[in-house]
Amino acid sequence: MSHLFPTYQRWEIQPVKAAGTILYGTDGQQYLDFTSGIGVCNLGHRPEAVEHAVKEQLDLFWHVSNLFPQPIQEEAANKLAESSGLDCVFFANSGAEANEAAIKLARKATGRTKIITFLQSFHGRTFAGMAATGQDKIKQGFGSMLETFIHLPFNDLDSLKTEIDSDTAAVMIEIVQGEGGIHVVTNEFIKEAASLCVEKGVLLIIDEIQTGIGRTGRPFAFQHFGIKPDIITVAKGLGNGFPIGAAIGKAGLAEFFGPGSHGSTFGGNPISMAAAIAVMDIIFNEGFLEETSAKGKLLFAMLHKEVGWMEVVKDIRGLGLMAGIELTVAAQPILADLRKSGMIALPAGEKVVRLLPPLNVTEEEIEKAVSLMKATLSNYKVTV
């Protein structure tokens, strides 16, 4: 009997070690990892620079609390501010906590309570995160949700124009809906949404938990669209496996997050800070981001060429190295077959296979992954 709550439907693979894009199981098999720990290990498993930085900090101190000034926090915050174009950072331990901070900050700064989010969105599993999420399935069994969250159709400008008003504190949106099926925001919608927020005095929160830290070929996905949000949230890829989240905001919001307004015992932990700095030093390099963008284009070109024509494939979409293959059949059996062939990938809803390879994946590994996808999908027929 396991003493763990059964909150996860676990796979049959038990990892024993990992390096780069390869995961090694107790079964003796090697697996090409196109999950990156659900978009976390953006530099693959155990990158040397991150490992070195963490070991160096381990020899200094592990935890002292946020009562102490810590230059390592200032360094990490400075890198996030410079790369995002925003100003102030609150460090947390996860994406859900980062979104909680953003929601609290938006409500306090505006004095309003209504927050607009979108159907198919995912913002975490805390009560505010669930309330913000536009998927009923994660709310089932938990009773009444927190009030004043409104969920609108994604990319529907008319609905947003109708709903946004003087009671609205914020519009909260993902540039790419990761858990919701890899749906990408349209250029027209996000630019008009940003303009509406300015016009109505509403804060624009961009949830970059999965898209941030280079995943789409830019430091942050919103930078593809020439907008400037008021708050962005990041987590997953920032620590490459070490627990970290952050809410990043404009300077004018600092007065609303003064002493005693918010906090986190482990937020800004020096071990996670060391990992984050090492990650950003690599990923925020212009040459690295250009390579990431080129690999993303290669991945999509190969997917369209090799599997896009199959009847079982309904759509291929995404941005950068964040790809979704929508199918006419359930994704889970295909994911199980992929694992048998030596590759791991993720679902994004019932019928979408999600690919999140490390950003330093090689062209040969992309070709291998697409070849395995093609071989696996060729065994499936269209169902009505």
Side-chain angles (χ1 to χ4, degrees), residues 73-83 89:
Q73 290 183 348
E74 293 287 354
E75 183 180 354
N78 182 62
K79 290 181 182 295
L80 284 172
E82 285 188 346
S83 59
V89 178

Side-chain angles (χ1 to χ4, degrees), residues 299-350:
L299 173 61
F300 279 96
M302 291 196 66
L303 285 172
H304 281 287
K305 178 182 178 182
E306 299 297 332
V307 305
W309 54 271
M310 293 182 171
E311 288 187 3
V312 76
V313 175
K314 184 176 180 180
D315 193 17
I316 298 171
R317 53 182 179 260
L319 188 63
L321 282 172
M322 187 175 184
I325 305 164
E326 185 174 358
L327 307 169
T328 60
V329 297
Q332 288 291 357
I334 289 168
L335 293 171
D337 286 349
L338 278 173
R339 293 195 294 273
K340 291 176 185 176
S341 69
M343 175 182 166
I344 54 176
L346 295 162
E350 183 183 350

Side-chain angles (χ1 to χ4, degrees), residues 63-76:
H63 175 82
V64 293
S65 90
N66 287 308
L67 296 175
F68 295 86
Q70 298 179 56
I72 196 169
Q73 290 183 348
E74 293 287 354
E75 183 180 354

Side-chain angles (χ1 to χ4, degrees), residues 42-43 49-50 72-84 89 91 212-214 219-220 234-235 237-240 244 246 248 272-286 288-289:
N42 281 6
L43 294 175
V50 178
I72 196 169
Q73 290 183 348
E74 293 287 354
E75 183 180 354
N78 182 62
K79 290 181 182 295
L80 284 172
E82 285 188 346
S83 59
S84 66
V89 178
F91 284 116
I213 320 300
F220 304 97
V234 295
L238 182 56
N240 212 84
I244 189 172
I248 313 165
S272 294
M273 293 294 99
I277 290 167
V279 165
M280 290 187 282
D281 281 342
I282 295 171
I283 291 180
F284 290 165
N285 178 279
E286 187 174 342
F288 184 93
L289 290 168

Side-chain angles (χ1 to χ4, degrees), residues 170-224:
V171 172
M172 188 174 190
I173 189 169
E174 299 160 282
I175 296 298
V176 184
Q177 293 184 325
E179 303 296 326
I182 315 296
H183 298 283
V184 184
V185 76
T186 65
N187 185 64
E188 178 189 12
F189 180 81
I190 193 61
K191 286 187 173 179
E192 285 292 327
S195 296
L196 275 172
C197 285
V198 172
E199 178 187 331
K200 301 288 187 179
V202 172
L203 298 183
L204 177 61
I205 303 172
I206 304 293
D207 179 336
E208 294 261 8
I209 305 302
Q210 195 164 142
T211 54
I213 320 300
R215 174 56 57 184
T216 67
R218 300 281 177 90
F220 304 97
F222 76 84
Q223 292 167 332
H224 289 278

Side-chain angles (χ1 to χ4, degrees), residues 264-277:
S264 171
T265 297
F266 296 106
N269 175 272
I271 306 303
S272 294
M273 293 294 99
I277 290 167

Side-chain angles (χ1 to χ4, degrees), residues 45-166:
H45 295 285
R46 295 179 48 231
E48 184 177 340
V50 178
E51 189 170 342
H52 174 76
V54 167
K55 287 180 176 178
E56 195 172 66
Q57 182 60 43
L58 280 169
D59 287 336
L60 299 175
F61 58 90
W62 303 357
H63 175 82
V64 293
S65 90
N66 287 308
L67 296 175
F68 295 86
Q70 298 179 56
I72 196 169
Q73 290 183 348
E74 293 287 354
E75 183 180 354
N78 182 62
K79 290 181 182 295
L80 284 172
E82 285 188 346
S83 59
S84 66
L86 301 181
D87 306 287
C88 300
V89 178
F90 174 83
F91 284 116
N93 305 290
S94 66
E97 289 183 40
N99 282 339
E100 288 275 342
I103 290 165
K104 286 179 66 175
L105 179 56
R107 289 176 59 142
K108 190 173 185 186
T110 62
R112 306 172 184 176
T113 58
K114 186 167 82 173
I115 294 179
I116 296 172
T117 66
F118 297 89
L119 297 175
Q120 302 165 314
S121 63
F122 182 82
H123 299 292
R125 294 184 182 274
T126 58
F127 256 90
M130 282 196 300
T133 293
Q135 299 184 54
D136 289 339
K137 66 181 180 180
I138 78 155
K139 307 176 186 182
Q140 292 174 359
F142 294 106
S144 300
M145 291 291 107
L146 298 177
E147 298 177 354
T148 72
F149 284 90
I150 306 296
H151 309 102
L152 303 180
F154 193 51
N155 284 326
D156 187 330
L157 192 55
D158 289 336
S159 294
L160 181 60
K161 286 179 178 178
T162 299
E163 191 62 48
I164 194 169
D165 57 23
S166 59

